[in-house]
């Protein structure tokens, strides 16, 4: 299990390229721009970008919105207002390769006293390469370091609960419907 609190210092200067990902990319005839480094018992992505909205380029913004539409609307068939105004106040974390967004999430404060940060719009464009894990491992500490929250919160489809439990998230609600999808609320407490 990945523990943000225990691995935080070691994360700052690590890179990532698992051999599994390399094999999958070679099988698919693609090249990777990631570097291989193993430190502190886990790995992270070197081409992970973390930016507030105001620092995103027009191309990055376009590619992020394109990836979100591709995954949430076209692939998963969700029908909800994706552009909801939260992007302006979010930190955007994404893995890109050659200008294409491969994995993405955003994080923003959910309360006025800045104790909770919501992680949302979590996606991977290509599945089965471990990009979701890499994105979460690479982003959580960096978000916490920048935003100084007491906990992370998220809503996720019920069938994805196990993925987030691997990072220490705990379910804190019954199943509920949001935007036509059965969801659960989850939290990951942090120590300052």
């Amino acid at each position: 299990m990945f523990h943000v609190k225990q691995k935080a210092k070691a994360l700052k200067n690590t890179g990532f390229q698992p051999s599994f990902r390399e094999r999958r990319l070679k099988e698919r005839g693609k090249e990777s721009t990631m570097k291989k480094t193993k430190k502190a018992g886990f790995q992270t992505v070197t081409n992970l970008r973390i930016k507030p909205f105001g620092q995103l380029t027009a191309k990055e913004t376009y590619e992020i919105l394109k990836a979100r539409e591709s995954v949430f609307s076209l692939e998963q068939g969700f029908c909800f207002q994706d552009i909801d105004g939260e992007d302006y106040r979010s930190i955007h974390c994404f893995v890109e390769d050659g200008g294409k967004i491969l994995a993405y999430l955003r994080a923003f404060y959910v309360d006025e006293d800045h104790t909770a940060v919501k992680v949302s719009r979590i996606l991977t464009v290509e599945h089965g390469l471990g990009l979701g894990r890499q994105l979460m491992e690479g982003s959580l500490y960096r978000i916490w370091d920048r935003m100084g929250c007491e906990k992370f919160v998220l809503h996720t489809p019920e069938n994805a609960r196990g993925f987030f439990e691997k990072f220490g998230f705990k379910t804190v609600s019954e199943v509920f419907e949001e935007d036509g999808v059965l969801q659960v609320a989850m939290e990951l407490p942090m120590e300052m």
Side-chain angles (χ1 to χ4, degrees), residues 10-172:
L11 175 61
K12 289 184 179 180
N13 297 313
T14 61
F16 178 81
Q17 186 163 20
S19 58
F20 171 78
R21 184 174 191 283
E22 279 298 296
R23 287 193 307 272
R24 289 295 290 268
L25 287 171
K26 277 187 177 184
E27 288 171 9
R28 294 180 180 185
K30 297 181 180 182
E31 261 186 78
S32 174
T33 61
M34 299 181 191
K35 297 177 184 174
K36 184 175 185 177
T37 306
K38 291 185 180 181
K39 292 182 181 178
F42 71 98
Q43 303 164 330
T44 189
V45 183
T46 58
N47 56 351
L48 174 68
R49 309 286 184 254
I50 300 180
K51 297 182 176 186
F53 184 79
Q55 292 179 8
L56 293 172
T57 66
K59 181 172 179 12
E60 288 169 337
T61 302
Y62 176 83
E63 290 297 324
I64 286 168
L65 294 174
K66 180 177 153 186
R68 285 169 29 179
E69 178 186 35
S70 173
V71 171
F72 298 128
S73 297
L74 301 176
E75 178 185 310
Q76 296 179 355
F78 294 158
C79 184
F80 65 91
Q81 180 66 42
D82 179 44
I83 301 174
D84 58 3
E86 299 297 352
D87 291 313
Y88 292 118
R89 62 190 194 107
S90 294
I91 290 179
H92 301 267
C93 305
F94 54 98
V95 177
E96 62 89 23
D97 192 13
K100 181 182 176 190
I101 302 298
L102 302 178
Y104 170 84
L105 64 78
R106 70 178 183 185
F108 56 91
Y109 291 113
V110 294
D111 53 7
E112 289 186 22
D113 55 357
H114 294 179
T115 59
V117 169
K118 184 170 186 178
V119 181
S120 69
R121 303 295 195 261
I122 305 160
L123 67 87
T124 58
V125 175
E126 295 188 32
H127 307 294
L129 300 176
L131 292 169
R133 177 186 53 80
Q134 296 169 37
L135 176 70
M136 293 295 289
E137 287 179 355
S139 299
L140 288 177
Y141 169 74
R142 289 174 175 94
I143 294 167
W144 177 74
D145 189 45
R146 288 183 183 204
M147 300 179 83
C149 60
E150 293 178 11
K151 65 181 174 181
F152 287 108
V153 298
L154 59 82
H155 294 172
T156 187
E158 185 181 19
N159 63 355
R161 180 189 324 211
F163 173 76
F164 295 104
E165 288 173 346
K166 294 175 187 175
F167 304 100
F169 281 88
K170 303 286 185 216
T171 303
V172 294

